[in-house]
Amino acid sequence: MILPRTQSFSVSDVNKYIKGILSNDENLKFLCVKGEISNFKQAGNGHYYFSLKDNDSSIGAVMFSTYASKLTFEPKNGDEVLVLASIDVYVPRGNYQLMVYEIDQVGLGNMLLELEQLKQKLQKEGLFDEKRKRSINLFPRAVGVITAPNGAAIHDIVTNLHRRYPICDIYVFPSSVQGENAPKELLKAFNKSQEYDLTTLIIGRGGGASEDLSAFNDETLVRAIANSKMPVISAVGHEVDVTLVDFVADKRASTPTGAAELASVDRREIEQSLSYKFDDMANILKENIQDLKNDINNYKNDIEKSLYNSVALNKSRLEGVKQHLNALNPTAILNRGYSITTDQNGNVISSVKSLNNDAILLTKLKDGQIESKILSKKEN
């Protein structure tokens, strides 16, 4: 196929033309290429998709299930391999890639090996020990965030923090999260964050290829985080991606959204909890009021009973005193047929010697009184 310059062509025509050139180049057929596997994925149909990389470059690769089913081992990220492949172009996207026929395992990739050695060294120093990890205050006053200023991660973290705990202040310390300068920028942003009175610090980024996360395996950065003034939450990549920053952080979230959830309580949980507390308090008050009413009724009944008994007792005693007084009352004998004689001044006459003739006497009977005059008197 020849593309004359006097005619316009579709993108597909260009990609097909390039595919034809590469496919017909004998130097690009059945190449032996050595590199480290990364971004390995196995599709549901059995095809393998991955990248082959070295320290400076990376190239996409595909191995169809027909060839993949013949492998005697299962490829994985970090494997250093030697592949037999041809260069091919995927026309719909215009990507050139390795069409892999065979894979031989050489050994653990150099980058992965170095990372594992660093991990073991830091672990022996105790930087990853659980006993040194601090708990996260779920009611933060201020949260710091170290991430790319224009990425999806900062949007997810800020949005979810505002939604969950809107009274929290958020400080952003921008930094690149991949590339050659990323480790230095991340360290600079971290050192800046230590100048602020933060409750919690979040450091992270969205997902990416394993080589894109290498900045978060920087030894200097990991050691700095180990000495952070405030607890640190890592949110680097997704669940399958683990970096040294994840190991040294006090808490690890698989996503930036998860970091916001670890850094704060949800206000809806607070509102729900308060609602339950108010309901409990109302129920307790109702129970206490009912108990007081019951106590008051019991006291009332006891007082009424005590008063009734006291009145009855005093009434009985009064009746006894009354009967006793009646028995002592000199007029009581009048009912038995006796009478009482007094002078006009009410003095009881007890002797005839005190009386003179013509004296006026008053005689009290049970049903009245009579007045009489002494005509004569006679002493015994």
Side-chain angles (χ1 to χ4, degrees):
M1 178 178 181
I2 300 176
L3 300 178
R5 298 184 180 181
T6 58
Q7 180 180 350
S8 64
F9 298 91
S10 67
V11 174
S12 296
D13 289 336
V14 175
N15 286 341
K16 289 177 181 178
Y17 179 77
I18 295 174
K19 178 180 176 69
I21 293 176
L22 297 180
S23 297
N24 292 322
D25 189 333
E26 294 297 327
N27 293 322
L28 300 180
K29 294 181 179 180
F30 301 105
L31 303 173
C32 286
V33 184
K34 183 179 180 181
E36 179 183 330
I37 292 179
S38 67
N39 301 322
F40 181 84
K41 295 179 182 178
Q42 182 175 0
N45 55 13
H47 300 337
Y48 289 168
Y49 297 94
F50 56 95
S51 295
L52 206 61
K53 67 174 185 177
D54 55 24
N55 291 331
D56 301 313
S57 299
S58 175
I59 184 173
V62 58
M63 186 177 198
F64 293 128
S65 58
T66 303
Y67 302 105
S69 62
K70 299 178 182 180
L71 293 181
T72 57
F73 71 99
E74 184 175 347
K76 62 181 182 299
N77 289 332
D79 283 349
E80 189 176 2
V81 295
L82 186 66
V83 304
L84 178 64
S86 297
I87 298 296
D88 188 38
V89 174
Y90 183 56
V91 173
R93 295 183 182 174
N95 296 335
Y96 80 91
Q97 60 188 359
L98 293 174
M99 184 71 67
V100 179
Y101 309 113
E102 296 180 6
I103 302 178
D104 289 328
Q105 194 173 22
V106 176
L108 194 64
N110 291 332
M111 294 176 60
L112 188 62
L113 180 61
E114 291 175 1
L115 179 60
E116 183 63 25
Q117 290 173 345
L118 177 58
K119 176 185 173 183
Q120 294 296 329
K121 182 177 75 170
L122 297 177
Q123 189 169 16
K124 289 179 180 179
E125 294 179 17
L127 268 65
F128 304 155
D129 289 351
E130 287 297 323
K131 62 183 180 181
R132 61 164 294 276
K133 295 183 183 294
R134 294 160 291 186
S135 59
I136 305 299
N137 185 349
L138 295 180
F139 304 91
R141 179 185 62 264
V143 173
V145 183
I146 300 176
T147 190
N150 299 317
I154 186 62
H155 175 268
D156 291 345
I157 292 173
V158 171
T159 299
N160 282 281
L161 279 176
H162 280 158
R163 174 181 58 83
R164 292 172 59 84
Y165 201 69
I167 64 174
C168 170
D169 293 330
I170 303 175
Y171 294 83
V172 178
F173 304 94
S175 169
S176 61
V177 293
Q178 70 183 63
E180 183 178 353
N181 295 325
K184 292 181 180 179
E185 291 187 22
L186 286 170
L187 182 61
K188 181 179 179 181
F190 173 81
N191 290 334
K192 187 66 177 178
S193 72
Q194 300 301 291
E195 300 175 5
Y196 289 75
D197 185 18
L198 303 175
T199 308
T200 309
L201 178 64
I202 298 174
I203 180 171
R205 54 158 292 162
S210 57
E211 58 266 24
D212 294 337
L213 308 180
S214 60
F216 295 89
N217 292 319
D218 182 74
E219 181 177 358
T220 305
L221 178 63
V222 172
R223 291 187 180 278
I225 292 176
N227 295 312
S228 173
K229 289 167 51 180
M230 67 288 297
V232 177
I233 298 175
S234 66
V236 183
H238 297 294
E239 189 64 41
V240 296
D241 302 315
V242 181
T243 66
L244 296 184
V245 166
D246 293 320
F247 287 109
V248 77
D250 296 282
K251 287 288 184 179
R252 184 219 173 198
S254 57
T255 64
T257 299
E261 294 173 353
L262 286 177
S264 65
V265 68
D266 194 330
R267 67 176 180 181
R268 292 172 294 184
E269 296 176 11
I270 299 176
E271 293 168 355
Q272 187 66 56
S273 178
L274 288 176
S275 176
Y276 290 149
K277 295 296 183 184
F278 287 142
D279 290 343
D280 291 343
M281 291 173 62
N283 292 332
I284 291 173
L285 286 175
K286 290 179 181 178
E287 293 175 358
N288 289 342
I289 291 173
Q290 187 60 49
D291 289 342
L292 288 174
K293 287 182 178 180
N294 293 337
D295 291 342
I296 291 173
N297 288 332
N298 291 335
Y299 291 144
K300 177 183 176 183
N301 294 335
D302 291 343
I303 291 172
E304 290 177 347
K305 184 177 180 181
S306 177
L307 287 174
Y308 176 81
N309 292 335
S310 179
V311 170
L313 178 61
N314 289 328
K315 186 176 180 180
S316 176
R317 288 176 178 175
L318 184 60
E319 186 63 30
V321 171
K322 179 181 178 183
Q323 292 177 2
H324 181 65
L325 290 175
N326 285 337
L328 296 176
N329 188 356
T331 62
I333 61 176
L334 300 177
N335 293 326
R336 301 200 296 272
Y338 295 94
S339 63
I340 300 174
T341 301
T342 66
D343 59 19
Q344 287 181 314
N345 297 321
N347 297 316
V348 176
I349 305 302
S350 60
S351 173
V352 296
K353 294 179 179 180
S354 62
L355 298 174
N356 298 318
N357 290 333
D358 297 328
I360 300 300
L361 300 178
L362 298 176
T363 302
K364 292 182 179 180
L365 302 172
K366 70 173 184 178
D367 58 354
Q369 176 178 291
I370 59 175
E371 183 177 333
S372 59
K373 183 178 181 180
I374 297 176
L375 300 178
S376 65
K377 65 177 181 178
K378 182 181 182 180
E379 298 181 8
N380 289 336

